[in-house]
């Protein structure tokens, strides 16, 4: 049994960085940017513009909530994966009905598994939309996908030369790049942001999740078998960071394009 406290805290630091810090940074930045984009769209072009320009992202945003809620045993009360907003109508909360989709679910507050699941359900759209982007990359720009896999083959010794070589070695027709760009833009507008309710639900399950990862990391370190777990986890998070970095770039570009379109419209 390995009782090296320095190693235990080092491993806890790696896991905390991988599972808490890096995802939190991307979730915060993506939510801020895409909320801002939606606000400009709604104010400048009407609330329906969010639906028209981001319907794919909205669909996968809500689908990610739904699938994760089912996996954690929550009871699904009501679902609309895509809907038209009705600002002149009032919702059940008395506010204008601006929802573009929703997944209403309930859980047993005495069930630790279901309570902890709220964290994953709340942030699921970020990871669900990232998975869609990764799949689109593999389908439309396979050289990029292979480059990412090459990079993370050894996550603690990243192969940047292989990654950059793969990025520059493609000969895909322009139509693939066009489709990838348009789909990425749609996913960005509709999928990569969390609502206040999403953040509130996530906080409910945070303590349970932190407890799990601390116990798991300490246990694997004590048994001297943490190396494989950390390698897999770090590789997965680097891959996620690459996809979310691309999503962040697309979100920034989308935000600038919407601002430019508003400037042209107003003049």
């Amino acid at each position: 049994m390995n009782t090296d406290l320095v190693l235990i805290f080092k491993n806890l630091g790696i896991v905390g960085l991988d599972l808490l810090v890096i995802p939190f940074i991307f979730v915060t930045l993506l939510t801020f940017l895409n909320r801002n984009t939606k606000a400009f769209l709604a104010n400048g072009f009407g609330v329906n513009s969010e639906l028209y320009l981001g319907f794919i992202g909205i669909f996968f945003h809500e689908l990610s909530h739904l699938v994760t809620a089912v996996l954690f045993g929550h009871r699904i009360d009501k679902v609309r994966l895509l809907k038209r907003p009705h600002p002149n109508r009032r919702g059940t909360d008395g506010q204008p009905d601006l929802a573009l989709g929703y997944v209403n679910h309930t859980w047993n507050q005495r069930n630790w598994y279901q309570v902890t699941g709220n964290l994953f359900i709340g942030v699921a759209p970020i990871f669900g939309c990232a998975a869609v982007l990764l799949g689109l990359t593999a389908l439309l720009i396979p050289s990029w996908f292979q480059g990412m896999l090459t990079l993370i083959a050894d996550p603690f010794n990243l192969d940047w030369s292989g990654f950059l070589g793969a990025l520059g070695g493609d000969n895909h027709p322009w139509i693939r790049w066009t489709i990838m760009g348009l789909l990425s833009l749609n996913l960005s507008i509709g999928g990569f942001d969390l609502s206040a309710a999403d953040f509130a639900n996530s906080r409910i399950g945070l303590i349970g999740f932190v407890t799990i990862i601390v116990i798991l990391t300490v246990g694997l370190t004590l048994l001297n078998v943490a190396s494989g777990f950390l390698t897999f986890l770090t590789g997965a998070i680097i891959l996620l960071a690459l996809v979310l970095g691309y999503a962040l770039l697309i979100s920034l570009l989308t935000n600038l394009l919407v601002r430019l379109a508003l400037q042209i419209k107003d003049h």
Side-chain angles (χ1 to χ4, degrees):
M1 181 175 289
N2 191 338
T3 58
D4 184 347
L5 288 178
V6 173
L7 181 61
I8 290 174
F9 282 108
K10 176 187 175 183
N11 289 348
L12 284 172
I14 293 172
V15 172
L17 181 66
D18 285 348
L19 293 181
L20 295 174
V21 177
I22 293 176
F24 175 79
I25 291 172
F26 277 111
V27 166
T28 302
L29 292 175
L30 284 166
T31 295
F32 172 79
L33 260 180
N34 289 298
R35 276 189 189 178
N36 187 258
T37 299
K38 285 184 175 181
F40 276 110
L41 280 172
N43 293 331
F45 301 102
V47 291
N48 283 324
S49 62
E50 300 175 47
L51 179 64
Y52 300 144
L53 295 175
F55 64 92
I56 298 174
I58 295 166
F59 176 84
F60 281 108
H61 180 110
E62 300 302 339
L63 183 62
S64 299
H65 281 315
L66 176 61
V67 170
T68 314
V70 170
L71 288 175
F72 280 93
H74 286 215
R75 188 180 74 183
I76 308 302
D77 297 323
K78 204 171 182 181
V79 176
R80 288 286 297 276
L81 298 181
L82 198 63
K83 67 177 286 290
R84 186 183 297 275
H86 299 284
N88 296 323
R89 299 181 189 174
R90 297 286 174 177
T92 55
D93 58 357
Q95 299 298 315
D97 179 15
L98 300 177
L100 300 169
Y102 55 81
V103 176
N104 295 336
H105 56 98
T106 54
W107 63 94
N108 182 353
Q109 297 186 11
R110 297 178 180 177
N111 186 311
W112 180 82
Y113 177 71
Q114 292 188 15
V115 171
T116 302
N118 280 290
L119 172 65
F120 299 92
I121 296 166
V123 301
I126 298 294
F127 299 95
C129 289
V132 174
L133 267 184
L134 186 62
L136 287 172
T137 304
L139 179 66
L140 296 170
I141 319 290
S143 61
W144 282 26
F145 181 72
Q146 289 301 320
M148 290 189 286
L149 295 183
T150 299
L151 178 68
I152 66 168
D154 182 358
F156 293 109
N157 185 26
L158 297 176
D159 183 5
W160 287 107
S161 60
F163 174 65
L164 296 174
L167 295 189
D170 64 80
N171 56 355
H172 307 305
W174 65 268
I175 188 65
R176 289 194 183 190
W177 292 99
T178 304
I179 294 172
M180 184 69 186
L182 291 175
L183 292 177
S184 298
L185 186 145
N186 196 297
L187 278 166
S188 164
I189 291 175
F192 281 107
D193 71 301
L194 301 182
S195 67
D198 292 338
F199 278 112
N201 279 341
S202 295
R203 285 195 293 271
I204 294 172
L206 183 60
I207 293 177
F209 177 64
V210 171
T211 302
I212 291 172
I213 62 175
V214 168
I215 293 174
L216 179 62
T217 304
V218 172
L220 292 175
T221 305
L222 289 174
L223 295 174
N224 211 26
V225 291
S227 176
F229 168 68
L230 293 176
T231 299
F232 171 79
L233 180 63
T234 302
I237 293 301
I238 292 172
L239 182 61
L240 176 68
L242 289 170
V243 177
L244 292 184
Y246 170 72
L248 192 60
L249 181 62
I250 292 295
S251 297
L252 179 60
L253 178 61
T254 303
N255 188 274
L256 294 175
L257 288 174
V258 169
R259 288 171 181 263
L260 178 61
L262 281 176
Q263 289 291 327
I264 294 172
K265 175 178 176 288
D266 293 339
H267 292 87

